[in-house]
C-alpha cells in the first residue's frame, strides 16, 4: 500500500460526502472548517492504518438506517434497503484503499470484462447498451435470442470473508500488508439499527460487507467475479451489473439442433450457477425467461 501526502487527503475530503455520523467525535462540518489544523493529524491516522495493515477497531461499528429502495413504494420490510452510516475518518480510509485497489485492478486488467458495476466509465447505461446492441445484432442475423435474467438476494449481507480473502489473494495477487488490512477490515465488525432516533443493541457481523460504504460494492464485485467465468464456459453472451445478470444466447429458429443446443447450454449453465451460489453462500432468487 502507498502512503498518502497531505494534499492527497485534502482531495479525498473535498470529493467525499460531508455527512456526519453519531459515531464521529466531532461534526464533519467542523472538521472541514478546521481542516488546515487537522489535516496533518488525519493524514497521519490514515497512513498509520495503511502502513500497519490494520483497520482500527472503533471504525468497525456501523449505524444502519433503512431507506426505501424506490420512492413512493409501500413501507414494507421487503421494500427497504439497509445503509451503513460509518465514522467519517473510516470512510476516508476506505476511499484511499478503494482508489489504490481500483488502480491495481485497472492497471493489470483484473476487472471482469462483462461486469459494468462500480468501475470507471461503466454504469447501468453501458450494461443496457451492450445487451441491447447484441440482441439487435442477433435480430439482423434472423436469430431468436433466449434471454434469461438472474437475480441474487441479500448479496451484500452473505459475503463469506474467507472466500473473499482467498479470491483477493489468488485472483488479484494481493498479499502481505495489504491482505492483512482487508482481513482486519472485515473481521470484528458490528452494527446497530437506528429507527426514530433509537438504537438497537450492537450485533456482531460474521459475514457480509457494509452496504453504503465505499469498499463494500467493490469487494462484492471481486467476490462474484467467478460468475462471469462460469457463464462463459457455457454461453457466448452474458453481461452483469452488481447482482443482476443477463444470459442471452441466440439461435436460428429454423434449426432444431441449434435450438436444442442453446437450451441445453442454458440449463447446464444455470445448474452450475446454482451450485456456485451454494458454495459461496449466495441465494439465487429470481430466474426470468424471455424469447426475443
Amino acid at each position: 500500500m502507498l502512503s498518502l501526502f497531505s494534499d492527497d487527503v485534502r482531495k479525498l475530503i473535498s470529493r467525499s460526502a460531508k455527512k456526519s455520523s453519531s459515531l464521529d467525535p466531532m461534526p464533519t462540518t467542523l472538521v472541514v472548517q478546521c481542516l488546515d489544523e487537522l489535516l496533518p493529524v488525519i493524514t497521519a491516522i490514515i497512513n498509520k492504518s495503511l502502513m500497519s495493515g490494520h483497520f482500527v477497531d472503533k471504525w468497525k461499528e456501523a449505524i444502519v438506517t433503512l431507506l426505501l429502495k424506490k420512492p413512493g413504494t409501500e413501507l414494507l420490510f421487503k421494500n427497504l434497503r439497509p445503509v451503513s452510516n460509518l465514522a467519517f475518518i473510516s470512510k476516508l480510509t476506505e476511499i484511499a484503499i478503494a482508489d489504490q485497489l481500483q488502480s491495481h485492478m485497472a492497471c493489470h486488467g483484473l476487472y471482469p470484462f462483462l461486469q459494468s458495476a462500480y468501475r470507471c466509465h461503466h454504469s447501468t447505461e453501458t450494461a443496457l447498451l451492450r445487451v441491447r446492441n447484441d440482441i439487435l445484432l442477433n435480430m439482423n442475423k434472423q436469430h431468436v435470442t433466449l434471454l434469461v435474467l438472474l437475480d441474487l438476494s441479500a448479496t451484500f449481507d452473505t459475503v463469506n470473508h474467507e472466500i473473499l480473502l482467498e479470491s483477493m489473494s489468488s485472483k488479484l495477487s494481493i498479499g502481505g500488508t495489504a491482505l492483512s488490512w482487508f482481513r482486519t477490515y472485515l473481521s470484528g465488525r458490528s452494527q446497530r439499527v437506528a429507527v426514530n432516533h433509537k438504537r438497537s443493541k450492537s450485533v456482531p457481523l460474521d459475514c457480509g460487507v457494509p452496504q453504503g460504504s465505499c469498499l463494500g460494492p467493490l469487494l462484492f464485485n471481486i467476490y462474484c467475479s467467478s460468475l462471469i467465468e462460469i457463464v462463459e464456459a457455457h454461453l457466448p453472451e452474458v453481461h452483469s451489473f452488481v447482482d443482476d445478470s443477463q444470459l442471452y444466447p441466440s439461435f436460428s429458429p429454423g434449426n432444431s439442433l441449434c435450438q436444442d443446443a442453446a437450451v441445453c447450454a442454458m440449463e447446464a449453465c444455470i445448474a452450475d450457477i446454482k451450485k456456485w451460489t451454494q458454495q459461496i453462500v449466495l441465494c439465487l432468487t429470481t430466474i426470468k425467461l424471455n424469447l426475443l
Side-chain angles (χ1 to χ4, degrees):
M1 291 187 178
L2 302 176
S3 60
L4 305 180
F5 295 105
S6 294
D7 286 345
D8 298 324
V9 176
R10 187 185 293 274
K11 290 176 182 177
L12 288 183
I13 295 174
S14 67
R15 63 186 175 90
S16 65
K18 307 301 187 295
K19 296 179 181 179
S20 291
S21 168
S22 55
L23 301 169
D24 290 324
M26 60 189 295
T28 303
T29 52
L30 184 58
V31 173
V32 175
Q33 292 173 7
C34 303
L35 188 56
D36 289 339
E37 292 77 11
L38 295 176
L39 189 59
V41 178
I42 296 174
T43 303
I45 292 173
I46 294 175
N47 282 333
K48 182 67 174 178
S49 175
L50 269 60
M51 295 299 101
S52 65
H54 181 77
F55 191 75
V56 181
D57 290 340
K58 288 187 177 181
W59 296 349
K60 297 180 183 181
E61 184 174 51
I63 303 298
V64 177
T65 55
L66 302 176
L67 302 177
L68 282 171
K69 294 179 181 178
K70 296 181 180 179
T73 54
E74 193 174 355
L75 192 61
L76 298 175
F77 181 76
K78 65 179 182 180
N79 295 331
L80 296 173
R81 176 171 60 91
V83 176
S84 299
N85 191 352
L86 304 165
F88 183 63
I89 187 67
S90 76
K91 289 187 287 187
L92 290 180
T93 308
E94 284 190 36
I95 294 173
I97 293 292
D99 286 348
Q100 295 189 27
L101 180 57
Q102 288 173 323
S103 176
H104 170 73
M105 293 175 67
C107 180
H108 298 284
L110 299 174
Y111 277 105
F113 179 68
L114 298 174
Q115 168 65 266
S116 285
Y118 309 119
R119 49 191 300 197
C120 187
H121 307 305
H122 289 71
S123 63
T124 52
E125 184 177 358
T126 58
L128 288 171
L129 286 173
R130 171 61 186 258
V131 175
R132 180 178 181 272
N133 182 70
D134 287 347
I135 292 174
L136 290 176
L137 290 175
N138 291 336
M139 289 180 176
N140 287 340
K141 295 187 293 185
Q142 303 299 308
H143 279 198
V144 172
T145 298
L146 178 62
L147 174 63
V148 173
L149 307 177
L150 304 180
D151 183 31
L152 299 170
S153 174
T155 48
F156 281 68
D157 302 327
T158 58
V159 171
N160 182 290
H161 295 164
E162 290 304 319
I163 295 176
L164 172 58
L165 291 168
E166 172 59 28
S167 294
M168 298 184 76
S169 174
S170 60
K171 294 183 178 180
L172 306 185
S173 298
I174 293 176
T177 303
L179 191 63
S180 296
W181 188 94
F182 283 106
R183 187 176 295 279
T184 62
Y185 171 80
L186 293 168
S187 64
R189 301 196 72 92
S190 62
Q191 66 181 20
R192 300 173 186 265
V193 178
V195 178
N196 295 330
H197 305 292
K198 295 182 179 180
R199 297 184 191 176
S200 69
K201 293 182 179 180
S202 180
V203 178
L205 296 176
D206 298 324
C207 60
V209 292
Q211 186 161 334
S213 67
C214 175
L215 265 177
L218 183 56
L219 294 178
F220 176 77
N221 259 11
I222 297 168
Y223 188 67
C224 289
S225 59
S226 296
L227 175 61
I228 299 294
E229 298 171 10
I230 293 171
V231 177
E232 287 183 321
H234 295 277
L235 303 170
E237 291 91 8
V238 56
H239 205 89
S240 295
F241 189 89
V242 197
D243 53 358
D244 294 318
S245 297
Q246 300 81 44
L247 321 180
Y248 49 101
S250 66
F251 56 87
S252 173
N255 188 329
S256 59
L257 291 177
C258 186
Q259 178 177 335
D260 291 343
V263 172
C264 288
M266 181 65 77
E267 290 175 344
C269 181
I270 293 175
D272 281 352
I273 290 174
K274 287 182 176 179
K275 292 178 183 177
W276 171 75
T277 57
Q278 293 172 357
Q279 291 171 355
I280 68 168
V281 203
L282 290 178
C283 181
L284 185 62
T285 56
T286 305
I287 302 177
K288 298 179 181 179
L289 173 64
N290 300 276
L291 279 177
L292 304 173

